[in-house]
Amino acid sequence: MSVQFDRIALIGIGLIGSSLAYDIRRLGLAREIVVATRSPDTLKRAEELGLGDRYTTSSQDAVKDADLVIVSVPVGASESVAKEISGSLKPGAIVTDVGSTKASVIAQMLPHMPADVHFIPGHPLAGTEKSGPDAGFPGLFEGRWCIFTPVADTDETALKRLRSFWEALGSKVDEMDAEHHDKVLAIVSHLPHIIAYNIVGTADDLETVTESEVIKYSASGFRDFTRLAASDPTMWRDVCLHNRDAILEMLARFSEDLAYLQRAIRWGEGDKIFELFTRTRAIRRSIVQAGQDVDAPDFGRHALDKK
Ligand SMILES: NC(=O)c1ccc[n+]([C@@H]2O[C@H](COP(=O)([O-])OP(=O)(O)OC[C@H]3O[C@@H](n4cnc5c(N)ncnc54)[C@H](O)[C@@H]3O)[C@@H](O)[C@H]2O)c1
Ligand SMILES: O=C(O)C(=O)C[C@]1(C(=O)O)C=C[C@@H](O)C=C1
C-alpha cells in the first residue's frame, strides 16, 4: 500500500481513532500521524500504545499542515472541535468525521469550515461496545461499510481521495444524503441500542428477580443485549440527542408493532405470531447470504483477545 497523505491528524483517539491509527500505520497510508485529544491521560495512554508520531492536547496544533483530518469524538462535541480547528486548517485539506449521526454533525461543523477546505462527513459502520484508546484494533473496518454524506458542491477529487483511503482500510464506500442516513441508522443501529439499554434496565429494575439471578440465568439472547447495553454512555447519549427526530419516528413505529404483537399474544393469535416470526427469520437469512454477518457479536472481542 502506498502513502496517500503526508500528514493525518486524528482528533479523538478512542475506539475509532485508535483503530484508524493502527491501520494507517500498518498500511503505510501516511508519512506522519498526529494524535490529538482533550484529556492528557488519554493522550498519555495513546503515546504508550504508540498510536501516533506526534501527540498534543491542542486540536489546533494537530491540524496545522495536515492533509487529512479525521474527527472521532462523540457527536455532541463536533461543534467545539470544528470551532477549535477552523483557523488552523491547511488550504486544500480534507476534513472528515466518523460520527454515528450525520445531519447534526454537518449542522455543527459546516459553518466553521473555511471555503478552501474539503469537508466530507463520513460514518464507518463498524465498532464494538468498548471505548477508549485501549479498545482499538487493526482490521476493524475490513469488509464493513463506510457511508459518506457529502454536502453540496463537494470536490470530486477530494471525494475520490477519501474513498481510496477507506477502501485501503478494506471498507466498502456508499454515499447518501444525511437525512436518509439518519433514518436508516435510526432503525439498524440506534434503536437496537436503545432497546438493549431499556431491556437491561427493565431486568435490573424487576423486584421479583434478583440481580444475581439476572447474572446467573442470563440466557444468550439476553447476554447479546447486555453487550450492546454496555456501550459508551456519552457516545449513545449524544446519538439519542442528535438524531432525535428519526429515532422518535422509528420508536413510534416500533411501539405500534410491539402493541400488535402484545395483542396477538394476549388473544392467543398464534397465526399472527407465526407469520411475523417467519417473516423476520427470512431477513436474517438474507443478511447471512449477502455475507453481511461478519459482525457476529463477539467479532470485536476475538480480535481484542488476540492483542
Ligand atoms: N463505538 C462505535 O461502535 C462507533 C462506530 C462508528 C462510529 N462511531 C462514532 O465515532 C465517534 C467516536 O466514537 P468512539 O467509539 O471512538 O468513542 P470513544 O469514547 O472510544 O472515544 C472518543 C474520543 O474523543 C475524545 N474527545 C471527547 N471530546 C473531545 C473533544 N471535545 N475534543 C477532542 N477530543 C475529544 C475522547 O477523549 C476520546 O479520545 C463517535 O462520534 C461515535 O458516534 C462509534
Ligand atoms: O457492534 C457494535 O457494538 C456496534 O455498536 C457498532 C455500531 C452498530 O450499531 O453496528 C454502533 C454504532 C455505529 O455508529 C456503527 C456501528
Side-chain angles (χ1 to χ4, degrees):
M1 204 72 62
S2 57
V3 174
Q4 293 190 347
F5 294 93
D6 230 34
R7 179 179 293 174
I8 297 183
L10 298 174
I11 314 293
I13 196 75
L15 166 71
I16 301 294
S18 60
S19 298
L20 283 168
Y22 283 122
D23 277 348
I24 293 166
R25 170 95 73 220
R26 179 172 67 98
L27 301 164
L29 300 177
R31 271 189 226 290
E32 189 185 29
I33 302 171
V34 185
V35 172
T37 197
R38 229 181 10 170
S39 135
D41 287 348
T42 309
L43 196 69
K44 186 165 163 270
R45 185 62 192 141
E47 192 163 2
E48 283 164 7
L49 292 167
L51 296 174
D53 300 301
R54 234 162 23 83
Y55 303 87
T56 172
T57 49
S58 161
S59 303
Q60 276 158 304
D61 284 351
V63 302
K64 275 180 200 149
D65 293 323
D67 311 282
L68 175 63
V69 175
I70 310 180
V71 178
S72 310
V73 302
V75 289
S78 307
E79 182 166 26
S80 67
V81 169
K83 273 187 189 162
E84 261 169 60
I85 63 176
S86 64
S88 310
L89 292 163
K90 174 178 162 178
I94 297 175
V95 178
T96 188
D97 79 302
V98 296
S100 303
T101 73
K102 296 276 50 98
S104 159
V105 167
I106 293 171
Q108 292 179 68
M109 294 189 70
L110 188 58
H112 303 285
M113 291 296 115
D116 56 5
V117 156
H118 307 292
F119 172 54
I120 306 175
H123 178 202
L125 305 190
T128 73
E129 73 281 17
K130 308 257 168 59
S131 57
D134 284 286
F137 57 92
L140 172 63
F141 308 104
E142 184 83 49
R144 311 304 296 268
W145 285 105
C146 182
I147 300 178
F148 294 168
T149 59
V151 296
D153 303 322
T154 299
D155 179 74
E156 276 304 319
T157 310
L159 209 49
K160 270 196 197 131
R161 283 191 81 190
L162 191 63
R163 180 180 273 270
S164 302
F165 172 77
W166 280 102
E167 285 174 351
L169 302 179
S171 293
K172 304 168 283 184
V173 176
D174 239 348
E175 282 178 34
M176 62 183 72
D177 70 60
E179 283 69 27
H180 186 68
H181 166 279
D182 288 356
K183 277 201 176 161
V184 174
L185 269 292
I187 189 69
V188 302
S189 174
H190 306 168
L191 236 61
H193 281 81
I194 290 166
I195 291 164
Y197 281 119
N198 199 58
I199 196 173
V200 176
T202 302
D204 189 42
D205 285 343
L206 283 179
E207 281 144 19
T208 48
V209 180
T210 64
E211 194 183 333
S212 65
E213 280 175 313
V214 170
I215 293 165
K216 184 172 168 190
Y217 299 122
S218 156
S220 60
F222 183 73
R223 243 181 290 137
D224 289 349
F225 280 116
T226 62
R227 184 186 78 79
L228 289 185
S231 301
D232 190 72
T234 304
M235 169 185 157
W236 284 99
R237 175 206 60 199
D238 281 11
V239 169
C240 290
L241 298 179
H242 289 268
N243 196 19
R244 193 181 62 162
D245 292 349
I247 288 174
L248 289 178
E249 185 185 329
M250 295 306 163
L251 268 177
R253 288 286 296 266
F254 176 82
S255 305
E256 270 178 34
D257 292 344
L258 189 60
Y260 171 88
L261 185 57
Q262 190 176 356
R263 202 180 148 80
I265 294 169
R266 177 184 303 283
W267 296 107
E269 295 172 331
D271 49 341
K272 285 188 180 166
I273 300 170
F274 188 80
E275 186 275 324
L276 173 67
F277 292 178
T278 306
R279 197 150 49 85
T280 58
R281 180 189 233 189
I283 299 280
R284 170 70 189 173
R285 288 191 175 148
S286 315
I287 291 172
V288 173
Q289 266 164 19
Q292 291 291 325
D293 67 332
V294 287
D295 49 345
D298 46 6
F299 164 67
R301 233 166 294 138
H302 284 320
L304 284 171
D305 289 347
K306 281 190 212 131
K307 274 193 4 179

